Amino acid sequence: MRLPSLDSILLASTDPARLRDWYAAALDPEENADVDGYLVLKFGHFHLLIDSRADISDKNPEPGRMVLNFDVADARAVVARFETLGVSWLTELEDRHGSLFATAIDPDGNYVQIIELSEEHRAAM
């Protein structure tokens, strides 16, 4: 029997096109497509699906419940790209024992964490 694997997450928005455009500009996904009505961004083996929902508010009232973590090769370059988009930061770029972390807030109020792990931290995982 094949074990389950986490392949995607559905991120609901009152303005999915705006949110998709923001993620595409901020993180340059491998794929950016409209598939069966879903806006789909592919990052590595993971898919971020963005869709419209009528039962949510414009801003996420509890963004700490789920944080989207993006493993990046150059956190400083990604942070600079975010800066060009006028991003708000929950936590600015910081060094945590050799690994770099920053947490941005997307247009819907969700937390987006940028992580550049040191080789030591990566080996320990």
Side-chain angles (χ1 to χ4, degrees), residues 64-97:
R65 284 187 177 265
M66 180 196 65
V67 178
L68 296 173
N69 292 324
F70 286 89
D71 179 25
V72 300
D74 186 349
R76 287 180 179 86
V78 173
V79 165
R81 189 171 10 182
F82 274 48
E83 292 285 343
T84 67
L85 300 173
V87 74
S88 295
W89 295 102
L90 179 68
T91 306
E92 292 189 13
L93 188 66
E94 61 185 19
D95 187 314
R96 297 183 190 169
H97 309 289

Side-chain angles (χ1 to χ4, degrees), residues 47-69:
H47 297 84
L48 178 61
L49 291 81
I50 303 174
D51 194 20
S52 173
R53 291 190 53 126
D55 62 344
I56 61 171
S57 63
D58 290 340
K59 294 287 183 187
N60 184 346
E62 294 184 317
R65 284 187 177 265
M66 180 196 65
V67 178
L68 296 173
N69 292 324

Side-chain angles (χ1 to χ4, degrees), residues 11-59:
L11 191 57
S13 177
T14 58
D15 191 345
R18 177 199 58 177
L19 198 58
R20 184 260 327 263
D21 292 348
W22 185 86
Y23 275 93
L27 292 160
D28 192 26
E30 295 170 41
E31 293 179 22
N32 180 350
D34 185 342
V35 179
D36 295 328
Y38 291 99
L39 303 177
V40 180
L41 302 172
K42 182 178 180 192
F43 298 96
H45 297 287
F46 195 79
H47 297 84
L48 178 61
L49 291 81
I50 303 174
D51 194 20
S52 173
R53 291 190 53 126
D55 62 344
I56 61 171
S57 63
D58 290 340
K59 294 287 183 187

